[in-house]
Each structure stands twice: as C-alpha cells, then as structure tokens.
C-alpha cells in the first residue's frame, strides 16, 4: 500500500514541480510538496486520508479574491455532494467556483460581493456557504481556541473519511506575500509537526508544509478593519 502511495505522490509532485517554476520563492521555514522532502513527508504522514479526494479535485482560484470559492468547490467535490445537473454533463456535473453559489449560498455571500471591497470571504462566510449546501459545519476562530486543540482536531479529522478542514490565515505571518488566504488542509506529519496546505493559488505558491505553531499563529490574526474577529478554521462534513 505504501508503494502505491509513493508512486501516486511522486507523480503528483512531479506535476506540481512544472507549475512551481513560475511561483514565488518560499522561505526556508516552509517545505514545498513538489520537492523530494515534501513528497517524503506525505508518504510518511500519519494523517493523510483527506489528501487524495482533495488532490483529485484540486482547483486553482479564478481570481485573487476567489480563494474561498475555490476551496469550497474542492471540498464539495471531495465530499461527493450531489452535483448540479446540466445538459453538457448528463446530470453528473462537478462543483466549480460559479455554481457553488446556489440561491441559499448567495443569501450568505453574493458572488459579485467577493470581487468588490473589502474583497474575499470571511471565515464565517465560508462556513455559511458550506452550510447552505446542507453540510454540518463548525467555524472556529483562533482567538477562541488554542494550538493544541487545533492540532488534535485537525489530525483526527484529516485521518478520517468524513471531515475536511479549511484554514483561513495571514500569508505574511508565514513569510509569504502577503494578505489573508483560504485553502484546505491535506495531511499532517507528526515527526515534523507540519500540516500540508493545498494552496488554491497555484499560480502564486505550491502546496506547502507549514509548522503547526506557525499556522496557528497565522490564523490567530484579525481579519480586517471591517471584521474584528480573528481568522481560524472551518470543519465540514456531510
């Protein structure tokens, strides 16, 4: 089984390495999945059940403000939520960054509002849009939690086949450029205490391994002047 996993991971990392040629440089504290070290971490990861269903549906955000919709589409498809039907797909369509905005989702956050100031989605709005698809959602602001609780929750849910975790963090807090960002988690490696972020802005950064403490600190930041809550994470299941 581990051999099959290694082959799959190596192939995916090789595909990523091609795209990474145009991405921004990473600080030394972060490990790219597309490196031999990053691929080895995934092969040995203690919690990686979520990785494959998410990687199959890996989505690049359509514009700089759409990290939330891209992450939501990935999770809806990974959870195998009944897809919207269309004549083109014979009723077997996939969720994308447009059709996630059902009337119920639009009532939470209209698609057009995401590309206008203050841009993007808050943690609560991400949770609300997911809940609008009849999913069980828990929104946790980092200021209301702690590192140990986040770590244990994420490890447990990354290791089962029912939950997915989306994180909302400040890029500059992990020495990236530059503002708030949303992406799903894919795995956890205990030896290095790192989480794998499946970054949906693949034109900017590859999937990365980030130390748990650094990620939590990046989530424990105030979202914006117009939203005085901290960032954090969303746990979602059917």
């Amino acid at each position: 089984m581990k051999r099959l996993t290694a082959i799959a991971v190596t192939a995916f990392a090789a595909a990523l390495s091609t795209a990474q040629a145009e991405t921004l440089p990473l600080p030394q504290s972060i490990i790219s999945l597309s490196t031999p070290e990053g691929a080895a971490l995934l092969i040995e990861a203690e919690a990686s059940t979520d990785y494959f269903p998410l990687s199959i549906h890996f989505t690049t955000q359509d514009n700089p403000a759409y990290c939330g919709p891209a992450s939501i589409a990935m999770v809806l498809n990974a959870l195998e939520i009944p897809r919207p039907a269309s004549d083109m797909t014979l009723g077997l369509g996939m969720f994308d960054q447009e059709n996630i905005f059902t009337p119920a989702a639009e009532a939470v956050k209209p698609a057009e509002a995401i590309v206008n100031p203050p841009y993007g989605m808050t943690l609560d709005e991400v949770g609300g849009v997911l809940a609008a698809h009849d999913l069980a959602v828990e929104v946790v602001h980092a200021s209301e939690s702690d590192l140990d609780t986040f770590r244990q929750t994420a490890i447990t849910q990354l290791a089962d086949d029912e939950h997915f975790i989306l994180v909302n963090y400040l890029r500059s807090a992990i020495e990236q450029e530059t503002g708030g960002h949303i992406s799903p988690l894919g795995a956890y490696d205990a030896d290095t205490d790192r989480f794998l972020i499946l970054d949906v802005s693949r034109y900017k950064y590859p999937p990365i391994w980030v130390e748990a403490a650094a990620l939590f600190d990046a989530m424990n930041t105030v979202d914006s002047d117009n939203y005085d809550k901290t960032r954090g994470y969303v746990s979602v299941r059917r």
Side-chain angles (χ1 to χ4, degrees), residues 10-92:
T10 300
F12 186 63
L16 284 171
S17 65
T18 301
Q20 189 183 359
E22 300 299 326
T23 60
L24 296 174
L26 291 172
Q28 291 185 347
S29 60
I30 291 175
I31 302 171
S32 170
L33 176 60
S34 61
T35 63
E37 182 181 5
L41 289 178
L42 182 56
I43 293 168
E44 301 297 333
E46 285 74 13
S48 60
T49 300
D50 287 0
Y51 169 78
F52 283 103
L54 286 170
S55 64
I56 289 169
H57 300 292
F58 212 136
T59 301
T60 300
Q61 62 190 78
D62 286 342
N63 63 64
Y66 256 45
C67 55
S71 298
I72 291 168
M74 280 178 65
V75 168
L76 290 176
N77 288 325
L79 280 168
E80 298 183 344
I81 302 304
R83 281 80 165 182
S86 72
D87 293 337
M88 293 291 290
T89 58
L90 303 178
L92 299 174

Side-chain angles (χ1 to χ4, degrees), residues 215-236:
L215 176 55
F216 186 81
D217 287 346
M219 293 192 296
N220 197 19
T221 52
V222 176
D223 189 286
S224 71
D225 293 337
N226 298 318
Y227 182 77
D228 59 3
K229 296 181 180 180
T230 60
R231 299 174 173 87
Y233 64 93
V234 177
S235 168
V236 57

Side-chain angles (χ1 to χ4, degrees), residues 127-147:
V129 169
L130 286 164
H133 288 274
D134 297 322
L135 298 172
V137 175
E138 182 181 11
V139 175
V140 180
H141 293 273
S143 62
E144 300 167 355
S145 184
D146 57 64
L147 172 59

Side-chain angles (χ1 to χ4, degrees), residues 7 23 25 40 49-50 55 58 72 84 86 106 111 124 153 155-156 166 173 183 186 194 197 199 223:
I7 292 171
T23 60
T49 300
D50 287 0
S55 64
F58 212 136
I72 291 168
S86 72
E106 281 272 329
D124 290 298
T153 299
I155 291 170
T156 299
L166 299 89
S183 284
R194 288 177 182 266
I197 301 176
D199 195 327
D223 189 286

Side-chain angles (χ1 to χ4, degrees), residues 189-214:
D189 175 70
D191 290 341
T192 59
D193 193 26
R194 288 177 182 266
F195 285 102
L196 175 63
I197 301 176
L198 295 176
D199 195 327
V200 295
S201 64
R202 289 188 288 177
Y203 56 87
K204 189 172 184 178
Y205 288 111
I208 55 171
W209 289 97
V210 179
E211 292 182 352

